[in-house]
């Protein structure tokens, strides 16, 4: 435990007095901003916002510690921190009013939700509304910094650190515990600044917890702790000076717990006068501005000088507000830019090189990751049980840790949220993470991070912070895997905008798509069917292919015709196309043997982006289509695709769009005979094709 005593505090000198005067100027600025937002409520209440009123001292003290080499993850009340690092009220107000020149998001995100990549400033990647879940990406940043320093890819003499700012109420989130656990496990350079004002929205700390963040942190061995008076700039400044020094030199985590008054509204939508009552009076006793003003007068600064600072700050706030109000609104025609960062990947390499041997899908993936790690020292691979002892439950990471070191290929705790969410932080500092969720059925604890942090980052930062992450997910039923190891999740993933979803069906595609997914500058989820890994499931032998060379890449969004119908059948109107992916390719292949070259099989390979042009072309060629999936059919991606085909290809169709998937049940049963009843198979596909072709 680190404490701040009187002996730690420097004697008052001219330089420190200037620091305090600057802090006072910023406090007056932030206070006047909050007041003006209330006075101009008819303008400012259009979009929900929070201010830093009551938290100014600790936030400004933190902002003064941040260097250009550092990374920060503020929370939604941290406007004073943003002022302290050098941002202007005008810039914050542009975001307040969702203006075109909002430097963070171009009018797309809330006030005090920065995305900053500017020379001379700490880097602030995009994050969500920061009620706990930002702790994981922030810890991922520290994790990435630690790795880059270990391998010599980050050699800054100033030793960058990460500041993660949290409200005390958010520390009860489970994802915060995952972040703390990894910070101490890996000894990461991160400062967790906890601003405790005793409130959630309308719930008090006593209602929500039995301990505060400082007490809670004692359970994480290796997490240093410190308490400061967050309403007192002097105490906050000296405490944070010591905390930052500790983190920079020891390269280890520390938690700073700051008690602050809440003098403003929780947000503009939940106003203080509705429920605070006498509590506001009690909090106002610890107004940081009054405390700092008292200190400055004791140090010889006269009231006239302080009044001048306050008036100057007020004039600037009003001028900046009027300037922001007159600024242009966003171009509505640009509303959909930056869903993804531009990918310029093209097909390269040899798919069937001379003298190459056949490999299984699992080995093609293993070799692809190995080649990536050899070529790219900034690449790392982590997840549950992928380390050297086991090398993955499917041996999909076998030998990688031994070959590349356990600093690059390592096990994580059972923390799906951290595995996924940390990639956002890793990407922000220049690491290129490859991670694995052990089974598709286990992804759900990580969905919050996937949705709130990874998928929105590029769009809401207007392209400044795309998240480059490859997330591997073994998927699908493979015979007796049961309800927690056999599920299909692609339809859920495909409702998330801002991520790409890939689903290879053979070894060559696995390797080519794996490389493309790694090089794509966006988050990519790669679904790998467990039943195809080893080609041991009957009918899947063709998933084993000649291994492409190390340069082979397949661009995402390119479907593949794996089987064609003959021209005679096409010309006579007696053919059909099966649009499918994954295991569906092999059910369709086996079923097609009953139809004398009348069946084309289109393997989508990538579900988002979808190769719609290839789908449309095949439907137009045959006039009949079966959309085949392993998922339960109701409300699935397959049904959605069938609906789009029905609408956009109606003029080409000679029959309704046929669909086939699993039975609409909540889980895959353990008993293999029950499993067979639920899932599609070649026999069921044959029955559907007979009906479709005879329509």
């Amino acid at each position: 435990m680190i404490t701040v005593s009187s002996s730690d505090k420097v004697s008052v000198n001219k330089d420190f007095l200037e620091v305090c005067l600057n802090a006072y100027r910023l406090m007056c600025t932030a206070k006047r901003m909050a007041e003006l937002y209330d006075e101009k409520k008819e303008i400012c209440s259009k979009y929900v916002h929070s201010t830093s009123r009551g938290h100014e001292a600790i936030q400004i003290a933190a902002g003064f510690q941040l260097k250009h080499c550092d990374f920060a993850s503020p929370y939604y009340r941290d406007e004073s921190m943003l002022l302290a690092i050098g941002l202007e009220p005008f810039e914050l107000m542009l975001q307040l009013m969702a203006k075109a020149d909002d430097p963070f998001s171009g009018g797309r995100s809330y006030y005090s939700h920065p995305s900053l990549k500017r020379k001379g400033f700490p880097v602030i990647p995009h994050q969500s509304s920061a009620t706990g879940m930002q702790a994981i990406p922030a810890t991922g940043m520290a994790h990435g910094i630690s790795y880059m320093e270990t391998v010599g890819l980050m050699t800054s003499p100033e030793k960058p650190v990460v500041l993660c700012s949290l409200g005390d109420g958010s520390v009860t989130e489970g994802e915060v515990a995952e972040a703390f656990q990894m910070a101490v496990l890996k000894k990461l350079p991160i400062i967790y600044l906890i601003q405790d004002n005793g409130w959630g929205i309308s719930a008090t700390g006593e209602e929500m917890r039995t301990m505060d963040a400082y007490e809670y942190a004692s359970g994480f061995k290796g997490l240093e702790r410190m308490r400061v008076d967050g309403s007192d700039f002097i105490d906050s400044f000296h405490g944070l000076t010591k905390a930052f020094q500790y983190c920079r030199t020891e390269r280890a985590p520390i938690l700073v717990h700051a008690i602050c008054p809440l003098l403003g509204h929780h947000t503009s939508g939940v106003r203080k006068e509705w429920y605070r009552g006498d509590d506001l009076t009690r909090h106002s006793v610890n107004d940081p501005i009054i405390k700092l003003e008292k200190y400055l007068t004791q140090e010889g600064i006269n009231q006239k000088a302080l009044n001048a600072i306050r008036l100057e700050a007020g004039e600037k706030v009003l001028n900046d507000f009027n300037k922001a109000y007159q600024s242009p609104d966003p171009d509505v025609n640009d509303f959909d830019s930056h869903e993804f960062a531009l990918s310029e990947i093209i097909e390269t390499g040899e798919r069937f090189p001379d003298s190459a041997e056949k490999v299984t899908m699992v080995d093609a993936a293993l070799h692809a990751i190995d080649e990536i790690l050899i070529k790219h020292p900034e690449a790392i691979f982590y997840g549950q049980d992928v380390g050297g002892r086991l090398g993955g439950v499917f041996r999909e990471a076998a030998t990688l840790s031994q070959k590349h070191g356990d600093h690059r290929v390592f096990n994580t705790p059972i923390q799906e949220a951290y595995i996924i969410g940390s990639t956002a932080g890793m990407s922000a500092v220049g690491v290129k993470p490859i991670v694995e969720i052990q089974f598709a059925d286990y992804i759900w604890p990580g969905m919050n991070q996937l949705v709130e942090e990874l998928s929105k980052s590029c769009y809401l930062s207007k392209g400044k912070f795309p998240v480059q992450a490859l997330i591997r997910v073994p998927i699908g039923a493979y015979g007796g895997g049961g309800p927690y190891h056999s599920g299909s999740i692609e339809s859920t993933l495909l409702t998330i905008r801002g991520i790409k979803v890939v689903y290879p069906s053979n070894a060559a595609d696995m390797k080519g798509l794996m490389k493309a997914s790694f090089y794509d500058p966006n988050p990519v989820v790669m679904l790998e069917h467990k039943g195809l890994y080893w080609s041991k499931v009957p009918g899947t032998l063709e998933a084993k292919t000649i291994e492409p060379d190390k340069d082979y890449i397949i661009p995402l969004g390119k479907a593949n015709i794996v089987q064609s119908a003959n021209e005679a059948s096409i010309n006579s109107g007696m053919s059909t196309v099966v649009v499918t992916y994954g295991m569906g390719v092999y059910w369709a292949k086996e079923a097609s043997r009953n139809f004398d070259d009348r069946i084309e099989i289109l393997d989508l390979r990538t579900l988002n982006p979808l190769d719609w042009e290839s789908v449309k072309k095949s439907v137009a060629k045959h006039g009949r289509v079966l959309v085949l999936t392993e998922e339960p059919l109701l409300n699935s991606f397959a049904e959605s695709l069938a609906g789009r085909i029905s609408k956009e290809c109606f003029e080409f169709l000679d029959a309704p769009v046929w669909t086939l998937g699993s039975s609409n049940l909540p889980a895959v049963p353990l008993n293999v005979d029950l499993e067979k009843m639920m899932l599609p198979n070649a026999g069921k596909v044959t029955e559907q094709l007979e009906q479709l072709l005879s329509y």
Side-chain angles (χ1 to χ4, degrees):
M1 179 179 67
I2 293 179
T3 59
V4 183
S5 65
S6 58
S7 61
D8 295 319
K9 299 179 182 180
V10 298
S11 60
V12 177
N13 55 42
K14 185 177 180 181
D15 289 341
F16 183 65
L17 205 57
E18 285 299 317
V19 169
C20 292
L21 284 168
N22 189 24
Y24 183 73
R25 177 182 62 83
L26 293 174
M27 283 189 191
C28 292
T29 301
K31 180 177 185 288
R32 184 63 192 128
M33 288 165 69
E35 292 169 345
L36 188 62
Y37 296 168
D38 260 3
E39 293 166 13
K40 302 286 187 179
K41 190 164 58 174
E42 71 282 359
I43 295 171
C44 300
S45 63
K46 184 175 182 180
Y47 304 113
V48 173
H49 58 272
S50 291
T51 71
S52 57
R53 191 70 189 95
H55 291 237
E56 298 95 340
I58 188 65
Q59 291 183 18
I60 292 168
F64 283 175
Q65 299 295 331
L66 286 166
K67 299 181 179 182
H68 68 92
C69 61
D70 292 331
F71 295 80
S73 179
Y75 93 121
Y76 61 83
R77 197 178 297 284
D78 279 343
E79 65 179 357
S80 286
M81 187 186 298
L82 300 178
L83 293 172
I85 67 172
L87 292 167
E88 295 293 327
F90 171 65
E91 296 179 284
L92 303 186
M93 292 167 180
L94 288 171
Q95 189 176 45
L96 173 78
M97 302 180 206
K99 295 292 187 175
D101 296 329
D102 156 27
F104 308 133
S105 71
R108 295 178 179 186
S109 196
Y110 291 108
Y111 182 66
S112 199
H113 284 57
S115 297
L116 188 67
K117 187 183 286 186
R118 185 185 295 178
K119 186 176 180 180
F121 286 74
V123 174
I124 307 178
H126 161 269
Q127 61 187 22
S128 66
S129 286
T131 52
M133 50 275 213
Q134 81 273 29
I136 284 178
T139 307
M141 285 189 266
H143 202 159
I145 289 169
S146 179
Y147 170 73
M148 297 283 267
E149 289 178 342
T150 298
V151 297
L153 293 175
M154 184 176 285
T155 56
S156 170
E158 296 183 276
K159 295 296 183 182
V161 299
V162 178
L163 174 66
C164 176
S165 177
L166 297 154
D168 190 81
S170 72
V171 178
T172 58
E173 285 274 4
E175 292 182 7
V176 175
E178 293 193 19
F180 287 178
Q181 176 69 30
M182 286 301 289
V184 295
L185 182 67
K186 298 295 183 180
K187 198 180 179 185
L188 303 178
I190 185 167
I191 300 127
Y192 297 106
L193 173 59
I194 314 301
Q195 299 177 53
D196 186 355
N197 59 36
W199 284 93
I201 296 178
S202 65
T204 64
E206 289 76 14
E207 293 177 75
M208 296 185 293
R209 66 193 186 207
T210 59
M211 65 191 84
D212 65 24
Y214 179 86
E215 295 162 331
Y216 178 63
S218 66
F220 293 89
K221 185 179 179 181
L223 181 58
E224 286 289 345
R225 299 177 295 149
M226 176 190 295
R227 286 194 191 273
V228 297
D229 181 351
S231 68
D232 183 329
F233 176 75
I234 312 305
D235 195 58
S236 295
F237 183 83
H238 291 307
L240 283 172
T241 298
K242 194 165 186 179
F244 270 78
Q245 182 181 22
Y246 171 82
C247 195
R248 288 196 201 282
T249 57
E250 299 299 321
R251 316 308 286 152
I254 183 170
L255 181 141
V256 179
H257 180 256
I259 299 288
C260 308
L262 179 60
L263 303 181
H265 311 295
H266 169 75
T267 65
S268 58
V270 183
R271 299 181 64 81
K272 59 188 178 183
E273 60 266 20
W274 292 351
Y275 60 93
R276 294 284 300 280
D278 292 341
D279 180 72
L280 277 169
T281 304
R282 289 193 295 272
H283 277 237
S284 64
V285 172
N286 289 311
D287 189 327
I289 297 178
I290 295 174
K291 285 189 173 183
L292 184 56
E293 193 170 280
K294 181 179 179 181
Y295 172 83
L296 289 168
T297 56
Q298 289 173 347
E299 296 301 326
I301 307 299
N302 62 47
Q303 193 62 48
K304 184 177 179 181
L306 295 177
N307 290 343
I309 292 171
R310 185 167 60 252
L311 288 172
E312 183 183 354
E315 289 176 7
K316 179 174 179 54
V317 167
L318 183 58
N319 289 336
D320 280 11
F321 183 90
N322 291 331
K323 183 180 173 184
Y325 182 62
Q326 296 299 326
S327 296
D329 291 321
D331 177 2
V332 295
N333 295 311
D334 185 47
F335 79 102
D336 59 350
S337 64
H338 301 291
E339 178 190 1
F340 290 113
L342 181 64
S343 175
E344 298 179 336
I345 296 169
I346 60 173
E347 187 159 358
T348 59
E350 293 290 330
R351 185 177 176 93
F352 302 118
D354 294 339
S355 72
E357 297 181 352
K358 283 190 174 184
V359 292
T360 59
M361 279 183 67
V362 74
D363 283 343
L366 174 67
H367 298 165
I369 299 298
D370 184 34
E371 290 163 2
I372 287 168
L373 292 172
I374 290 170
K375 187 174 182 179
H376 297 280
E378 72 276 21
I380 62 175
F381 179 38
Y382 55 96
Q384 295 170 32
D385 299 306
V386 302
R389 190 172 294 109
L390 184 61
V393 294
F394 298 98
R395 304 293 289 156
E396 72 282 3
T399 74
L400 291 179
S401 179
Q402 294 92 332
K403 188 171 183 178
H404 299 283
D406 57 14
H407 63 299
R408 295 189 71 191
V409 181
F410 55 87
N411 294 326
T412 65
I414 302 173
Q415 294 184 346
E416 287 81 8
Y418 185 85
I419 292 168
I420 290 176
S422 61
T423 66
M426 294 274 188
S427 178
V429 303
V431 176
K432 294 182 178 178
I434 306 165
V435 300
E436 181 180 304
I437 299 297
Q438 197 167 77
F439 289 87
D441 307 80
Y442 298 171
I443 200 171
W444 309 116
M447 290 296 283
N448 184 42
Q449 291 290 324
L450 186 62
V451 173
E452 298 300 337
E453 306 296 346
L454 274 67
S455 75
K456 293 178 171 61
S457 185
C458 187
Y459 179 74
L460 290 181
S461 69
K462 235 185 165 189
K464 290 192 294 294
F465 290 101
V467 176
Q468 184 169 14
L470 170 53
I471 302 167
R472 299 181 61 185
V473 184
I475 191 171
Y478 56 106
Y484 307 113
H485 301 83
S486 307
S488 292
I489 60 168
E490 58 266 30
S491 289
T492 300
L493 294 175
L494 291 165
T495 64
I496 305 169
R497 316 304 168 201
I499 66 170
K500 298 186 178 183
V501 181
V502 179
Y503 204 138
S505 68
N506 60 70
D509 287 350
M510 173 74 91
K511 189 168 187 179
L513 292 169
M514 186 78 77
K515 294 288 185 73
S517 298
F518 173 78
Y519 289 116
D520 197 290
N522 301 287
V524 181
V525 179
M526 189 161 197
L527 303 176
E528 307 172 18
H529 200 293
K530 302 183 292 292
L532 300 178
Y533 262 159
W534 300 97
S535 288
K536 289 182 178 180
V537 174
T540 64
L541 189 60
E542 291 180 37
K544 187 176 181 179
T545 70
I546 295 292
E547 182 173 9
D549 67 17
K550 62 182 177 62
D551 299 317
Y552 184 59
I553 297 175
I554 303 171
L556 305 187
K558 299 291 184 183
N560 183 36
I561 297 174
V562 298
Q563 178 175 293
S564 299
N566 62 37
E567 289 298 321
S569 297
I570 296 170
N571 293 336
S572 66
M574 295 303 295
S575 65
T576 188
V577 58
V578 179
V579 178
T580 190
Y581 53 92
M583 187 64 79
V585 171
Y586 299 96
W587 293 326
K589 279 186 175 184
E590 189 173 348
S592 69
R593 297 190 184 114
N594 300 302
F595 296 96
D596 299 325
D597 298 325
R598 296 163 62 189
I599 310 300
E600 176 182 305
I601 302 173
L602 182 67
D603 182 359
L604 293 174
R605 301 198 294 195
T606 303
L607 307 186
N608 186 32
L610 176 70
D611 188 354
W612 173 244
E613 291 305 311
S614 290
V615 173
K616 191 163 62 173
K617 184 177 179 181
S618 289
V619 172
K621 183 195 303 183
H622 299 283
R624 288 180 170 84
V625 55
L626 167 64
V627 182
L628 174 61
T629 181
E630 183 172 325
E631 284 193 296
L633 193 59
L634 185 64
N635 300 327
S636 65
F637 162 69
E639 281 202 334
S640 174
L641 179 57
R644 184 176 178 186
I645 293 169
S646 295
K647 178 184 176 183
E648 299 189 31
C649 302
F650 182 78
E651 61 187 295
F652 305 120
L653 292 171
D654 297 322
V657 178
W658 238 253
T659 56
L660 177 63
S662 292
S663 299
N664 297 313
L665 297 171
V668 178
L670 179 64
N671 180 277
V672 291
D673 293 323
L674 297 178
E675 179 186 275
K676 288 175 183 177
M677 289 298 295
M678 178 182 178
L679 297 175
N681 56 40
K684 293 177 183 179
V685 175
T686 299
E687 291 175 5
Q688 296 300 309
L689 288 174
E690 286 174 345
Q691 293 179 44
L692 175 58
L693 288 166
S694 63
Y695 184 86

